[in-house]
Amino acid sequence: MTTYQNKYQLSFFYSVIFTILLSTYSTTADAHLSGYTDTAIQIAKPGIQVTYTLPRDNILELPQNSFTKDTKNIILAPENYQAIISQGWSVSANRRNCHRLNIQSFQLTQVQAYQYKITYQCPQGIDNIQINYYLFINQSRGHQNYARVFMAGEEMRTRFTFDKNSLDIPVTKLLTQWDKKLSPTFINKDLNQSYNPDTSLITTAQKKPTKIDNAFTANWRWLEPGFIIMGMQHILLGLDHILFVIALLLVAMKWRQLISCITLFTLAHSITLALSYMGILKISPTITEPLIALTVLIIGFENLYILRAKTETALQRSHPFLIFIFGLIHGVGLSYQLTEYASGYPITGRLFLFNMGVEIGQLMIILVLYWPIMQLLHFKNGKNILMILSVLIAIAGGGWFIERVI
């Protein structure tokens, strides 16, 4: 056996093993567990109010001692987790703990998320505030909590991470610098959509940027590179999206065909990602998630039909149209994680950078797998191998579809 043949057999071996493992794992794995959460912090005369939002599925990632044996694998109503969520935050002022007055919980059904509103009172005053965040950072060092602080008509941005889970805010110093006073009450509306950006520190060109011990970054609003990483992780950890992209590779025998398919898919999911994120298109995940699984099932069997056909068929000619339709469905699914954070505010930055991250992740999949998949064609039964891989992808999609419908 020649070195040339060994090289192609090795490529075949790795590609088959990779796809089988991916297909097997994906039938039981959740495609959209998130390493991100979102927080809006208000500082006003009554005290401090922390509004914390997390994807519903992330509840299962909380420390196991917060569950009973009967409920550790079941997601209950949001009020059942108020204690563990409140323990994940601490607020102090002037080096003394602030008192937690109350905690409210809400279920955001549109984006499959839970939200908790915790209100603190600081009898000793709030000249200097320290806020600490403890949730998920021990389970995942890559966890990030995107936070916005609203105070006296100003907004500031920061992130809580494993190595930076504490935030110091010199309230009195900032109010003196801004020549402002604290608001008499908390804003009860959704800050992400109702807050007036014209008064924001970030968007007001006449004001100088302010930094608080490097915790806050006052810059152009859309420059949040963390959302590129979020988009990349969402596509690379979303096994249903990965298998769909792999399915596109299996029948794209030439670069021109591949570029055409990926362009259509990218254009389609970018459209619905934007429409869904901006609230123009509203579809429940209970509908979208099974549909995404169904697209994986259908594209797998469609590939099988195309690969078996000896001449071009009507189904093969309609393949680009199906890719575009399926891309529209995937775009809605991609939007849910982004919508959980800031629900449309600010639109330009988060949408653009998140979508950029999705495209980078998609390109990474293509660059890694295109060459070994194309090498299969050098085998005598190369098309048969591609057909087997298509069946495996269809089986994974069918398993997801049953699981998500049930």
Side-chain angles (χ1 to χ4, degrees), residues 79-334:
E79 56 269 17
N80 290 278
Y81 308 102
Q82 288 184 351
I84 189 67
I85 295 297
S86 64
Q87 291 170 14
W89 290 91
S90 71
V91 177
S92 60
N94 304 335
R95 298 185 178 182
R96 294 179 59 187
N97 290 334
C98 297
H99 306 303
R100 188 180 72 246
L101 290 181
N102 58 64
I103 177 171
Q104 298 173 286
S105 55
F106 309 91
Q107 183 167 352
L108 309 181
T109 55
Q110 181 63 30
V111 293
Q112 293 286 296
Y114 283 176
Q115 187 174 86
Y116 296 87
K117 187 175 292 186
I118 314 170
T119 304
Y120 298 88
Q121 189 179 61
C122 308
Q124 66 274 21
I126 53 174
D127 295 330
N128 293 280
I129 295 175
Q130 184 178 74
I131 300 174
N132 296 295
Y133 174 74
Y134 307 107
L135 292 166
F136 302 113
I137 56 177
N138 290 325
Q139 293 94 312
S140 173
R141 293 199 174 193
H143 174 73
Q144 299 186 61
N145 177 8
Y146 284 81
R148 295 164 315 288
V149 180
F150 301 89
M151 183 175 72
E154 302 284 358
E155 180 203 352
M156 296 158 284
R157 293 182 286 111
T158 188
R159 277 182 288 174
F160 293 101
T161 60
F162 175 80
D163 57 350
K164 195 186 73 174
N165 70 325
S166 181
L167 177 64
D168 295 309
I169 309 174
V171 176
T172 301
K173 179 180 177 180
L174 288 175
L175 292 176
T176 301
Q177 179 180 337
W178 297 337
D179 192 22
K180 289 188 175 183
K181 296 182 179 180
L182 291 176
S183 303
T185 59
F186 294 122
I187 302 171
N188 291 323
K189 295 181 180 180
D190 184 356
L191 288 169
N192 297 319
Q193 299 192 31
S194 63
Y195 189 76
N196 180 9
D198 292 336
T199 62
S200 170
L201 173 65
I202 297 173
T203 58
T204 305
Q206 292 78 10
K207 295 181 179 179
K208 295 181 179 180
T210 300
K211 293 185 179 180
I212 306 173
D213 298 331
N214 296 322
F216 294 124
T217 301
N219 209 322
W220 294 106
R221 178 176 300 278
W222 63 276
L223 290 177
E224 295 189 37
F227 283 92
I228 297 179
I229 305 300
M230 182 189 295
M232 292 174 59
Q233 290 183 338
H234 192 61
I235 193 73
L236 294 175
L237 298 178
L239 294 174
D240 45 5
H241 299 303
I242 290 177
L243 286 189
F244 190 88
V245 173
I246 293 175
L248 298 182
L249 291 173
L250 296 184
V251 293
M253 305 304 180
K254 298 179 181 179
W255 267 107
R256 183 178 296 178
Q257 291 175 310
L258 176 61
I259 293 173
S260 175
C261 291
I262 296 301
T263 300
L264 284 171
F265 182 62
T266 297
L267 176 63
H269 75 61
S270 297
I271 291 172
T272 46
L273 170 60
L275 292 176
S276 182
Y277 177 56
M278 291 186 288
I280 299 172
L281 179 65
K282 296 183 180 180
I283 303 177
S284 170
T286 58
I287 297 175
T288 305
E289 294 301 323
L291 285 179
I292 290 176
L294 191 61
T295 66
V296 177
L297 171 64
I298 293 174
I299 200 73
F301 281 123
E302 187 207 17
N303 281 1
L304 180 62
Y305 182 85
I306 292 174
L307 290 167
R308 291 186 62 185
K310 295 182 179 180
T311 59
E312 187 178 44
T313 64
L315 180 60
Q316 191 168 357
R317 288 191 293 272
S318 66
H319 184 64
F321 175 76
L322 283 177
I323 290 175
F324 186 81
I325 297 299
F326 291 168
L328 294 175
I329 297 172
H330 280 251
V332 179
L334 289 169

Side-chain angles (χ1 to χ4, degrees), residues 4-63:
Y4 182 80
Q5 289 173 317
N6 282 330
K7 180 177 69 173
Y8 287 119
Q9 286 197 357
L10 189 63
S11 300
F12 160 71
F13 174 77
Y14 281 127
S15 59
V16 170
I17 293 299
F18 174 82
T19 307
I20 290 175
L21 290 175
L22 184 60
S23 301
T24 303
Y25 175 72
S26 63
T27 57
T28 56
D30 191 304
H32 296 293
L33 284 180
S34 167
Y36 301 88
T37 51
D38 179 76
T39 303
I41 300 170
Q42 289 191 67
I43 302 173
K45 283 186 177 180
I48 297 99
Q49 188 172 86
V50 175
T51 303
Y52 179 65
T53 306
L54 73 161
R56 182 175 177 271
D57 290 333
N58 279 26
I59 289 294
L60 296 176
E61 298 179 22
L62 289 170

